[in-house]
Amino acid sequence: MSESMTVSDPSDAGERFARVLEILRARINKRQFATWFQPATLESWEGADLVMGLPNRFYQEWFQSKFSELVREAAESVARSPVSVTFEIRSAKTEEETAEPPQPKTEEPAPSGTPTDVYPSPFPGSGTDDSPLRLNELYTFDNFIVGPSNSVAHASAKGIAQDPGRAYNPLFIHGAVGLGKTHLLHAICHEFLARFPKERVCFLSCEEFTNEFVRSLQRNDVDSFRARFRNVHLLVIDDIHFLKGKERTQEEFFHTFNGLYQSNHQIVLSSDAAPNEIPTLEERLVSRFHWGLVSNLEQPETETRMAIVRRKAEIQGIDIPNDAVEFIAANFRNNIRELEGALLASKALSEVLNLPIDLDLVKKAVGPHLGRHTVNLDKITQVVCSHYQVKISDLRSKRRGRSVSLPRQVVMFIARLLTNLSLDEIGDHFGGRDHSTVLYAVRKVQSRCDSDPTFSATVDRMVDRLGGRVDPK
Ligand code: ADP
Ligand code: MG
């Protein structure tokens, strides 16, 4: 935890913060402490202002609503004066470094001096030592759920881990934040090392590459910076878009790239955009990135998201029923990290309330986080009617016939998915139909989604248009 502290007087603030944590550890139960406080860091504590860093907005909102008093009291008892506490979401970089689940994990770092050591050292300030390769043990191919949105990227990642330097060089994976780039990059390293344990692997973020390079310039020692990459068999650089606007580093990377490429050593890069969409990236780099394979990670489909939630739950030992998995998958569509956040928030609430995780509990846990878009029956009806080109009044009438009954069933299905409304409440909206009619509709649409991918995609698109957000009660 101390690694991420950035305080003006680290020893003093750090010590005080450690005492605050001790007090809190004594005041809440062990599992809660592990879930919530393990990932918390001290950002700063200057005067009366304590700023804590948290991994994401779930944590932030949870702390604000559940722990702010407790933390303030503990801080005041340490400071012996009033303290104002704020909870901030840590920057993406810090987040990346601590992107492990909050459960304590026993990690055996590779012993120093083995071929798995990385050059240059990813740890700021220690540019000369060998350092163990820092890989998240959970970011493996086994734990990566494959679906249409990521199957090409997954297959190419596996391909190069098995046949490095030959299949495609470089492999360039791009996609929006939270779609699994870093996970795939770690998986490549794991698999490569399992197959070629004697080979040298270097994994670092582009930011680390840049910082190391700048440091070597300051020390007037670019040669030893270059030497570090000379014997690397697999070079993996995460978030290469960080090169944008950094001409000197781009030039250096160009030489590193050429050296490795000529020796048939594998290069893997990730980026938030395709090579030609990274602004101010030199043309010669753009063209080199296209020499190999450029593959894209897309937003995962509902089934993939559900499978991911299930796998994450399994890894965390969380028991969660299907409808709750579906609810999470339906409401967090754009970023897989958010799926995990929802799962953890549910787990935490189940511990606090000492209740099993079910759909209601999940809604309670994540409901407050879903305020950005609100979905209600009217909006769902509008979207569905405009898709099927039927009149809203027809849908709400007693009319039967396929042209209205299918859209009506779809509205009921989406309403179950995206709102907290009960079957009866949904039935009321359609002229007092009873809950068994609604249940029948929901099941029917579900089974058709399962058997008819085109229909399923259509429903997905409507859910997408609705923003996939619930209207919290
Ligand atoms: P990115 O680097 O693209 O921002 P990450 O690799 O950090 O995204 O992924 C964010 C989270 O989502 C990680 O916890 C990762 O394990 C998880 N994740 C992403 N894609 C998948 C997938 N296909 N299967 C399982 N977990 C996934
Ligand atoms: Mg990443």
Side-chain angles (χ1 to χ4, degrees):
M1 216 178 278
S2 56
E3 268 166 33
S4 356
M5 290 176 181
T6 48
V7 284
S8 54
D9 180 357
S11 55
D12 181 35
E15 249 165 55
R16 277 184 285 154
F17 187 62
R19 276 164 53 207
V20 171
L21 289 182
E22 279 317 301
I23 294 171
L24 293 167
R25 191 198 293 277
R27 296 193 59 179
I28 62 182
N29 81 41
K30 215 165 133 189
R31 285 170 73 192
Q32 259 192 57
F33 187 84
T35 304
W36 293 105
F37 286 89
Q38 208 106 325
T41 52
L42 172 61
E43 292 296 303
S44 63
W45 192 343
E46 279 154 22
D49 296 314
L50 165 60
V51 182
M52 269 170 79
L54 299 168
N56 55 42
R57 99 193 134 82
F58 285 104
Y59 275 84
Q60 186 187 39
E61 287 170 16
W62 194 271
F63 267 76
Q64 267 153 5
S65 64
K66 309 276 172 199
F67 293 131
S68 64
E69 278 303 288
L70 208 62
V71 174
R72 191 178 52 78
E73 275 173 26
E76 290 182 343
S77 75
V78 169
R80 294 169 197 271
S81 58
V83 175
S84 113
V85 183
T86 38
F87 305 107
E88 280 182 4
I89 302 172
R90 274 195 299 272
S91 65
K93 180 181 170 286
T94 330
E95 178 65 356
E96 203 72 280
E97 285 168 0
T98 52
E100 278 145 76
Q103 291 306 308
K105 211 159 52 85
T106 45
E107 226 170 12
E108 283 281 290
S112 187
T114 65
T116 60
D117 285 0
V118 197
Y119 295 94
S121 159
F123 299 107
S126 63
T128 52
D129 298 334
D130 290 8
S131 329
L133 193 52
R134 294 171 312 158
L135 293 177
N136 186 328
E137 287 164 31
L138 296 173
Y139 288 178
T140 59
F141 282 125
D142 276 352
N143 285 338
F144 192 84
I145 303 291
V146 184
S149 58
N150 59 29
S151 58
V152 176
H154 171 264
S156 42
K158 270 217 117 146
I160 66 104
Q162 290 167 0
D163 191 11
R166 264 183 293 218
Y168 337 92
N169 206 13
L171 172 62
F172 190 102
I173 298 176
H174 67 97
V177 66
L179 296 187
K181 299 182 294 293
T182 300
H183 186 138
L184 274 182
L185 263 42
H186 282 234
I188 290 172
C189 294
H190 284 302
E191 175 117 1
F192 179 91
L193 284 169
R195 287 174 173 262
F196 312 102
K198 295 213 164 65
E199 308 281 48
R200 254 197 136 70
V201 175
C202 179
F203 179 103
L204 71 174
S205 70
C206 186
E207 189 175 4
E208 287 160 350
F209 181 89
T210 308
N211 291 344
E212 283 292 329
F213 176 60
V214 169
R215 215 172 284 133
S216 80
L217 286 174
Q218 287 162 350
R219 284 196 310 255
N220 209 3
D221 188 17
V222 175
D223 286 348
S224 61
F225 173 81
R226 290 181 184 154
R228 287 170 185 169
F229 295 101
R230 215 167 283 146
N231 297 318
V232 165
H233 296 98
L234 170 63
L235 173 66
V236 182
I237 300 191
D238 203 0
D239 294 330
I240 198 77
H241 54 266
F242 193 78
L243 280 181
K244 67 182 159 222
K246 305 190 175 68
E247 289 141 40
R248 192 69 185 79
T249 312
Q250 287 189 21
E251 191 184 328
E252 188 56 34
F253 179 74
F254 178 74
H255 295 301
T256 306
F257 182 100
N258 287 343
L260 293 173
Y261 186 85
Q262 276 153 19
S263 348
N264 284 333
H265 290 173
Q266 181 70 46
I267 301 154
V268 180
L269 306 166
S270 81
S271 162
D272 67 356
N276 55 357
E277 285 164 358
I278 303 175
T280 75
L281 188 67
E282 281 184 45
E283 194 41 50
R284 55 180 183 171
L285 278 177
V286 174
S287 83
R288 265 166 184 69
F289 292 168
H290 280 287
W291 283 355
L293 181 72
V294 175
S295 58
N296 186 13
L297 287 169
E298 313 233 15
Q299 310 286 356
E301 322 53 38
T302 308
E303 296 77 6
T304 311
R305 291 197 304 276
M306 285 170 55
I308 291 172
V309 174
R310 283 206 195 93
R311 174 62 57 85
K312 297 278 175 197
E314 227 173 79
I315 291 172
Q316 299 264 333
I318 299 172
D319 242 346
I320 178 167
N322 269 343
D323 54 354
V325 169
E326 249 166 61
F327 180 83
I328 292 177
N331 285 286
F332 299 88
R333 313 177 66 82
N334 301 325
N335 180 332
I336 295 165
R337 215 168 274 148
E338 288 188 345
L339 291 176
E340 282 188 277
L343 191 63
L344 289 176
S346 308
K347 178 185 180 213
L349 185 63
S350 92
E351 278 163 12
V352 171
L353 301 178
N354 202 14
L355 287 171
I357 298 185
D358 61 11
L359 180 60
D360 279 343
L361 185 127
V362 169
K363 285 183 176 176
K364 252 194 212 117
V366 305
H369 308 288
L370 298 174
R372 276 183 294 171
H373 292 67
T374 53
V375 176
N376 55 34
L377 264 174
D378 286 334
K379 282 188 198 157
I380 298 172
T381 311
Q382 264 168 27
V383 166
V384 174
C385 285
S386 97
H387 174 84
Y388 288 104
Q389 308 260 304
V390 291
K391 284 201 211 119
I392 294 179
S393 55
D394 284 347
L395 222 62
R396 298 188 65 166
S397 75
K398 294 270 179 208
R399 264 189 62 193
R400 288 167 190 273
R402 210 179 135 69
S403 68
V404 289
S405 68
L406 178 67
R408 192 183 286 135
Q409 288 170 345
V410 171
V411 172
M412 291 175 177
F413 174 79
I414 296 179
R416 268 310 263 181
L417 202 62
L418 300 185
T419 73
N420 283 334
L421 296 170
S422 69
L423 295 168
D424 280 325
E425 284 166 328
I426 297 171
D428 281 347
H429 187 81
F430 293 97
R433 287 176 163 83
D434 79 3
H435 73 273
S436 60
T437 312
V438 180
L439 190 60
Y440 171 80
V442 171
R443 291 199 174 137
K444 190 145 181 218
V445 172
Q446 180 63 59
S447 80
R448 179 149 173 217
C449 280
D450 292 341
S451 61
D452 177 352
T454 316
F455 177 72
S456 168
T458 306
V459 173
D460 246 8
R461 262 199 309 281
M462 285 186 262
V463 174
D464 259 335
R465 275 188 62 191
L466 288 159
R469 299 280 165 175
V470 295
D471 188 359
K473 268 189 182 162

